[in-house]
Amino acid sequence: MAQQSKYFSREEMQRLAQRALGFSTADEARVNIQSGVRGNTRFAVNQISTGGDVYDATLTFTSAFGKKVASATTNRFDDESLRAVVQTSERLARLVPEDPEYLGELGPQQYPNATPFFQSTANLTPEARAAAVNAITRPAATRNLVATGFLDMVVGSQAVATKKGLFAYQAGTETNLTTTVRTPDGTGSGWAGVGQNDWSKVDPAQLADRAIRKAELSRNAKAVEPGKWTVILEPTAVANLVQLMTFAMDARSADEGRSFFSKQGGGNKIGEKFLDPRVSIYSDPSDPQIFSSAFNGQGLPNRRMQWVESGVLRNLQYSRFWAQKQGREPTGFADGFYMSGGNATIDQMIASTERGLLVTRLWYIRPVDPRTILYTGLTRDGTFLVENGRITSAVKNLRWNESPIFMLNNIEAMSAPVRVSASESGEAGSAVTVPAIKARDFTFTSLSDAV
Amino acid sequence: MKRRDFLVQGTALAAGSVLLPGLARAHAPVLEMDDPQVKELAMRAVDAARRAGASYADVRISRNRTQAVGTRERQITFFNDGETYGFGVRVLANGSWGFAASRDLTADEVERVARQAVSQARASAAAQRRPVELAPGERYPDATWTSPVQTDPFNVPIEEKVALLLAANEAALKVQGARFVNSSMFFLKEEKTFANTDGSYIAQTIYRSFPQLNVTAVSPDMSDFQSRRSSDIAPMGLGYEHVRNSRLVENAPRWAEDAVKKLTAKAVQPGRYDLVLLPTHLWLTIHESIAHPTELDRIMGFEANYAGTSFIYPIRDFLGKFRYGPEFMNVQGERSTPGGLSTVAYDDEGIRPDEYLIIKNGVINDLQTTREQAPMLADWYRQQGKPVRSHGNSYSQSWADVQFQRMPNVNLLPDTVKDTSVEELVSGIQDGILIDGDGSFSIDQQRYNAQFGGQTFQEIKNGRITGPLKDVAYQMRTPEFWNGMDAIGGRSTYFLGGAFNDGKGQPSQSNAVSHGSPAARFRKVNVINTGRKA
């Protein structure tokens, strides 16, 4: 394949942003641009079903007259289209009422050095993706199992620029490989997956091996009673739950009295101990374990933020407006996070468990009660009974109703943190690094017949 | 997880490589969709695919306009206008699919992309176990269709939209105890042109409108908060008239009062209850536990890695045999209800969708299909004396995504004999709960075990409503739940609910779909209390 531009370089972004800003007649203007290629290969029933690469780019132009603000988006960058998108945003901005919370655009900023860009991912051609898929489907077919899955990759860049001279640019790569291996009679199902910025860290054969082992082990599942169980949650399942807490860490809704992080009588829980003291959570755009965006949509830098330290709430997410109102610093929000762990292995957790459940991953997770960050969902693709320190049987899947807050107060043991694929959809996304956790009193509420 | 900023929303599945046009490169001007050049380019793409060896090819050229406006309390929070424009070519070559897409609508580019799609198909064919077989195509050489809109939302003054939302917020905030209100409107206008090797050329314009409001009440000591969403206003495939007819200002105080009442409502005692489910709630249960498990691609295992499979397997044990529910249960698939979100005259492979009964007299009777899938049901159709024909259930969310099987509007049909009212359904209950509005929802990957919340809950004692409850969710197993339905409301209780963003596929594509339903009564359903103390 001929060498081609997969995404806009810093210089191209600068030129494009300047061209767009050049058409602006508003008091304030901001341009947000994203460009890139998204490549994917899907496989089903041991063969590639679809795959390919889409190249696209979009530009969103925001205009403000005083405190009257509006935006418009286009995916065409000829002068006529750029002029049109600027004019649309200006026309809308003149017509909308004032936004009393609009603080104007930012001038030049200092950004952390965060370039989560890896040539191994940028070079992931359709042929290389097909080879990775074969490394999963071949061993599955050899063992008379059925592999289905998804390899997603993104090579792209994003930029923000304002009329006040701010310019932010970041290029990056992400990849995510997931597979669900099922027995042909549908009585067993196993999953494995991982997300990485750097494709060279992904080992498809090892993922295949895990999913195959789980599919075979999960045959002949027996039913156990729902109720409070000791669980050993593999890192993926931990991420599925813990990320729900990070989504809820918004200072404003806490201060407004409509969040778990609201304090009775007013204010929020910053400074309070609310989790097991072994739990610390931070985000840091330049940490290779949890690379993330160096800036937010307004061009505000993201920086290292300690959200939880030894079980104490250290920070919530503050927007520019809410930070100004409450006399705090805006925090930005790096979308990946790192959670501290321990030194137990999953094998040791199993060995130390008299009766419990080993859980591979959670699925169809939806909010039930925001007051306690209570969610519901199901176990899926590998749920096993542990008795007297050994895995004794596969068990039928269970529905749970649980909050990460309760789970992180019931910790018995943790492993070293690892990078996982935390999204339900298997798409390339935020970098999440978490441990496996053994926890007591995890609430299962009903049985599911789904395999 | 939030999508990362590197990704352009709406970009998805495609094959081959499509060049990102260089910045210096001149674009062709944006064409109006009725410009004769659009047809020329579509034909050029189809011809190029055929010349490259495609046995079948289709092209979709589309221009999507979106508008979103949001407010909170007394202020605007966002106003965005968006447009995306491009084309996608899908081909069948050597028995395999190929797809490619580009945002650069020029003569050279459509030909290049068409060839790219063919080479992609050939590459996939190397690993093909069973070549794709298509049900018969149809030819519509000059067809057009537009959603039945009275007022194009994009022609309505911005000031009017913002003023309406702020007035609705104000009406809600007048209610004592209502502290926060968010309201928004979302509009879509998609001009979609389709051409294929069967000789069809179809131009459709699809509209969607979605007004929403959400009120939060907070207790005076900040120890509790409760919300109520405008779940009785569904998204629709209509224009701005739907927003006006939603009467947000008039309804807002009622939603606010519901939120305030929840603060002091009685917490439900867990146990088995008889339920009266209003269609504002039941549409979502239909969506999750009937519409999804009857998608044929799920059943065949193609979605196993994400959306999941289905308990309906193997097909021969279910079609014409499996009792989903009582004799009076009939569930229809269609894309013709005026204002339905899935309503179109032609699907994304040029087929006229038909109306069909997925469940007939309580028994599974048919499944959702595309041209590729209908032949998988050939034996069943032959038994029935029916032709092997696609139901017209192919859909793609944009020019950049490949079309695949997506659900049509799937409706539970009301009682046609007797117009049973909600009051009559309630009067037959000793100890039960009436649920209004869709809330929390979750269902397993084969669509057996589900849990649903709601917006408001009313206690029923001895055939009468006695007051509000809170912290209610019910859990069910699909077959037992539907077989426990013992009465169904009549035409006067019928309501069209809808899902604005139904996800399926990898990368995930969003489909919009309506579900019509009457009110209905269910016996002995397991209800849990979702309130936990932190």
Side-chain angles (χ1 to χ4, degrees):
Chain A
M1 199 184 295
Q3 267 303 311
Q4 56 204 337
S5 163
K6 292 190 160 125
Y7 59 95
F8 296 155
S9 66
R10 173 180 291 270
E11 292 67 34
E12 287 175 317
M13 282 285 201
Q14 254 164 336
R15 280 205 303 276
L16 177 57
Q18 287 317 313
R19 269 204 303 141
L21 289 168
F23 293 119
S24 168
T25 65
D27 303 341
E28 298 251 20
R30 181 177 83 235
V31 60
N32 291 68
I33 312 168
Q34 301 175 327
S35 76
V37 55
R38 179 171 190 173
N40 79 81
T41 301
R42 263 189 112 175
F43 53 105
V45 200
N46 294 338
Q47 60 184 14
I48 291 177
S49 51
T50 47
D53 298 51
V54 172
Y55 290 66
D56 199 6
T58 60
L59 179 149
T60 298
F61 201 90
T62 303
S63 296
F65 293 97
K67 285 183 175 282
K68 293 150 68 85
V69 197
S71 352
T73 301
T74 183
N75 70 337
R76 301 179 61 80
F77 307 136
D78 54 291
D79 278 357
E80 191 190 344
S81 299
L82 288 180
R83 190 180 289 115
V85 79
V86 171
Q87 285 173 350
T88 301
S89 72
E90 291 185 356
R91 188 176 54 82
L92 295 172
R94 283 200 174 90
L95 293 170
V96 299
E98 288 201 344
D99 174 358
E101 298 182 9
Y102 181 64
L103 299 179
E105 298 304 328
L106 293 165
Q109 305 286 314
Q110 289 295 308
Y111 295 105
N113 181 12
T115 306
F117 189 96
F118 294 87
Q119 214 51 52
S120 61
T121 309
N123 296 342
L124 193 51
T125 59
E127 293 75 14
R129 296 201 300 263
V133 168
N134 282 333
I136 295 172
T137 55
R138 284 209 185 105
T142 304
R143 300 182 72 100
N144 191 27
L145 296 165
V146 180
T148 298
F150 180 52
L151 198 175
D152 194 23
M153 48 90 65
V154 176
V155 182
S157 62
Q158 55 170 343
V160 185
T162 68
K163 240 177 161 166
K164 287 185 173 158
L166 176 146
F167 181 76
Y169 174 87
Q170 189 182 30
T173 57
E174 294 170 355
T175 175
N176 209 80
L177 175 58
T178 53
T179 181
T180 303
V181 175
R182 292 173 66 81
T183 61
D185 62 0
T187 59
S189 183
W191 178 92
V194 72
Q196 291 286 1
N197 300 95
D198 179 355
W199 171 250
S200 70
K201 290 189 173 152
V202 178
D203 183 348
Q206 188 227 356
L207 290 178
D209 186 55
R210 270 176 44 204
I212 285 169
R213 228 179 34 240
K214 286 196 166 165
E216 290 176 337
L217 268 177
S218 63
R219 282 188 174 114
N220 307 318
K222 66 181 206 188
V224 295
E225 276 301 301
K228 300 259 186 201
W229 278 82
T230 291
V231 287
I232 298 158
L233 301 173
E234 290 198 359
T236 304
V238 169
N240 293 153
L241 271 179
V242 173
Q243 69 183 6
L244 306 173
M245 183 178 81
T246 66
F247 294 160
M249 295 176 112
D250 172 57
R252 185 174 189 167
S253 46
D255 292 341
E256 288 176 341
R258 45 172 166 166
S259 152
F260 163 79
F261 296 102
S262 304
K263 202 152 105 179
Q264 194 161 339
N268 63 48
K269 292 181 178 166
I270 290 179
E272 289 185 14
K273 185 186 163 304
F274 76 115
L275 298 176
D276 182 297
R278 287 168 288 183
V279 177
S280 294
I281 295 173
Y282 70 87
S283 58
D284 182 348
S286 35
D287 182 334
Q289 301 173 100
I290 46 164
F291 271 131
S292 48
S293 305
F295 46 86
N296 75 0
Q298 299 179 335
L300 185 75
N302 281 328
R303 51 197 157 94
R304 185 188 160 104
M305 289 295 305
Q306 191 76 42
W307 305 105
V308 181
E309 187 178 23
S310 306
V312 176
L313 182 68
R314 283 288 170 225
N315 226 316
L316 292 167
Q317 292 150 36
Y318 283 85
S319 67
R320 285 172 61 209
F321 170 79
W322 202 248
Q324 188 190 64
K325 192 170 157 57
Q326 304 294 80
R328 291 186 68 104
E329 282 294 303
T331 59
F333 177 55
D335 44 13
F337 66 90
Y338 178 97
M339 179 182 157
S340 57
N343 50 19
T345 63
I346 291 182
D347 285 345
Q348 287 168 335
M349 292 180 199
I350 293 169
S352 69
T353 301
E354 197 178 320
R355 188 171 156 79
L357 297 173
L358 172 66
V359 176
T360 298
R361 71 164 176 148
L362 307 175
W363 194 70
Y364 218 119
I365 304 159
R366 293 293 182 277
V368 173
D369 189 345
R371 295 173 301 179
T372 51
I373 316 181
L374 189 84
Y375 278 72
T376 189
L378 295 118
T379 63
R380 182 174 169 179
D381 303 322
T383 312
F384 303 99
L385 180 64
V386 176
E387 291 174 302
N388 304 320
R390 289 179 36 250
I391 293 177
T392 54
S393 155
V395 294
K396 282 195 168 190
N397 284 308
L398 294 138
R399 169 169 300 285
W400 48 269
N401 282 57
E402 196 47 273
S403 164
I405 304 290
F406 304 146
M407 190 270 283
L408 294 175
N409 274 297
N410 291 334
I411 297 171
E412 305 237 315
M414 295 198 280
S415 75
V418 294
R419 181 81 184 259
V420 297
S421 163
S423 73
E424 284 191 15
S425 65
E427 288 174 31
S430 304
V432 175
T433 298
V434 295
I437 293 181
K438 177 179 169 184
R440 60 190 172 269
D441 293 334
F442 194 89
T443 310
F444 292 102
T445 53
S446 56
L447 275 180
S448 159
D449 289 312
V451 176
Chain B
M1 204 80 217
K2 290 171 191 156
R3 293 279 334 124
R4 270 293 283 285
D5 290 340
F6 293 133
L7 267 193
V8 175
Q9 282 294 334
T11 305
L13 202 65
S17 301
V18 181
L19 285 173
L20 189 66
L23 290 180
R25 189 163 148 193
H27 264 287
V30 175
L31 297 169
E32 290 302 325
M33 295 302 279
D34 55 1
D35 187 309
Q37 284 184 75
V38 170
K39 185 166 187 174
E40 221 169 279
L41 290 163
M43 293 304 164
R44 193 181 275 268
V46 168
D47 290 343
R50 208 196 319 253
R51 279 199 312 276
S55 57
Y56 169 84
D58 57 39
V59 58
R60 283 174 295 111
I61 302 173
S62 76
R63 187 172 176 179
N64 284 39
R65 266 199 78 184
T66 54
Q67 190 174 78
V69 51
T71 68
R72 61 172 294 169
E73 292 89 50
R74 297 180 174 94
Q75 67 195 67
I76 188 161
T77 48
F78 58 86
F79 202 114
N80 304 320
D81 235 27
E83 183 162 64
T84 179
Y85 177 84
F87 71 98
V89 181
R90 182 181 67 150
V91 304
L92 197 55
N94 298 9
S96 278
W97 290 118
F99 179 76
S102 168
R103 64 189 179 94
D104 202 13
L105 193 59
T106 62
D108 289 352
E109 183 72 349
V110 299
E111 294 199 358
R112 197 188 63 74
V113 167
R115 290 194 299 270
Q116 189 90 52
V118 174
S119 63
Q120 172 69 35
R122 290 221 162 95
S124 295
Q128 181 72 257
R129 292 173 167 216
R130 232 187 62 191
V132 171
E133 178 198 348
L134 295 182
E138 295 167 3
R139 184 166 179 270
Y140 304 104
D142 186 20
T144 56
W145 181 84
T146 300
S147 298
V149 299
Q150 291 162 19
T151 309
D152 185 325
F154 293 90
N155 295 337
V156 174
I158 284 140
E159 303 91 316
E160 182 179 334
K161 292 167 181 161
V162 176
L164 174 62
L165 292 176
L166 293 175
N169 294 0
E170 207 54 53
L173 290 168
K174 280 207 173 78
V175 173
Q176 185 72 36
R179 285 276 295 276
F180 304 104
V181 195
N182 291 80
S183 59
S184 61
M185 290 180 200
F186 180 88
F187 303 104
L188 166 86
K189 178 185 183 181
E190 180 178 18
E191 295 174 280
K192 193 180 325 203
T193 291
F194 173 92
N196 71 358
T197 42
D198 296 337
S200 284
Y201 187 76
I202 300 165
Q204 299 188 98
T205 305
I206 294 154
Y207 285 87
R208 290 178 199 151
S209 297
F210 192 13
Q212 280 193 96
L213 187 140
N214 189 54
V215 195
T216 303
V218 182
S219 64
D221 69 349
M222 306 280 265
S223 66
D224 194 12
F225 62 94
Q226 292 283 350
S227 295
R228 164 63 149 119
R229 189 166 39 81
S230 55
S231 53
D232 34 330
I233 310 297
M236 299 284 284
L238 295 170
Y240 198 77
E241 68 279 4
H242 174 52
V243 175
R244 290 187 179 130
N245 294 339
S246 296
R247 301 171 60 81
L248 294 176
V249 179
E250 293 80 357
N251 281 311
R254 172 171 57 87
W255 295 322
E257 280 158 14
D258 283 343
V260 173
K261 274 184 205 153
K262 274 207 249 185
L263 289 171
T264 52
K266 193 163 71 169
V268 70
Q269 286 295 320
R272 288 200 172 263
Y273 290 88
D274 294 341
L275 302 180
V276 171
L277 301 178
L278 297 187
T280 52
H281 167 92
L282 193 53
W283 73 263
L284 182 55
T285 306
I286 293 165
H287 173 86
E288 299 290 6
S289 67
I290 302 174
H292 273 307
T294 54
E295 294 173 318
L296 193 45
D297 55 354
R298 286 183 68 116
I299 292 169
M300 302 307 273
F302 280 80
E303 298 293 325
N305 190 52
Y306 169 38
T309 57
S310 174
F311 70 88
I312 300 170
Y313 188 82
I315 293 170
R316 64 176 178 278
D317 295 350
F318 282 81
L319 278 169
K321 296 174 186 165
F322 182 78
R323 179 155 289 284
Y324 224 101
E327 193 72 24
F328 59 78
M329 180 181 182
N330 288 289
V331 175
Q332 174 199 55
E334 50 81 15
R335 301 187 72 179
S336 52
T337 295
L341 287 168
S342 178
T343 298
V344 287
Y346 306 90
D347 80 349
D348 281 350
E349 44 187 13
I351 298 294
R352 279 197 80 95
D354 60 351
E355 291 179 9
Y356 59 104
L357 284 177
I358 295 170
I359 296 170
K360 185 176 172 182
N361 302 331
V363 176
I364 294 194
N365 175 66
D366 208 342
L367 298 164
Q368 300 163 45
T369 59
T370 59
R371 284 186 68 187
E372 179 183 358
Q373 294 168 338
M376 299 172 190
L377 300 178
D379 292 350
W380 171 243
Y381 290 146
R382 255 194 300 277
Q383 274 178 48
Q384 303 268 298
K386 287 183 188 160
V388 176
R389 183 187 179 276
S390 165
H391 285 307
N393 295 165
S394 175
Y395 175 80
S396 161
Q397 70 176 9
S398 88
W399 58 265
D401 301 283
V402 73
Q403 60 269 60
F404 68 130
Q405 193 268 303
R406 298 309 299 264
M407 66 175 72
N409 302 316
V410 173
N411 315 313
L412 175 64
L413 300 179
D415 186 343
T416 48
V417 181
K418 182 172 176 294
D419 193 3
T420 307
S421 67
V422 172
E423 290 69 26
E424 286 172 274
L425 295 174
V426 168
S427 70
I429 289 181
Q430 284 294 310
D431 190 17
I433 301 166
L434 179 142
I435 303 181
D436 184 0
D438 60 284
S440 178
F441 57 99
S442 170
I443 189 162
D444 70 38
Q445 74 275 16
Q446 290 189 309
R447 307 274 150 175
Y448 280 116
N449 172 311
Q451 177 177 313
F452 295 100
Q455 290 300 312
T456 68
F457 315 99
Q458 306 289 337
E459 183 179 58
I460 303 169
K461 288 280 185 207
N462 305 320
R464 306 215 359 247
I465 286 175
T466 50
L469 292 170
K470 69 174 171 189
D471 300 336
V472 177
Y474 64 88
Q475 294 190 337
M476 55 90 132
R477 186 175 179 275
T478 297
E480 283 76 10
F481 174 80
W482 287 106
N483 279 288
M485 177 167 68
D486 81 330
I488 196 165
R491 174 59 57 183
S492 66
T493 71
Y494 195 78
F495 167 86
L496 203 59
F500 209 67
N501 283 305
D502 177 35
K504 180 176 158 187
Q506 288 182 303
S508 185
Q509 287 190 45
S510 170
N511 178 32
V513 57
S514 293
H515 298 288
S517 169
R521 186 170 65 204
F522 297 81
R523 296 296 185 183
K524 299 275 171 284
V525 182
N526 183 34
V527 170
I528 63 167
N529 178 309
T530 58
R532 294 261 298 266
K533 285 280 172 273

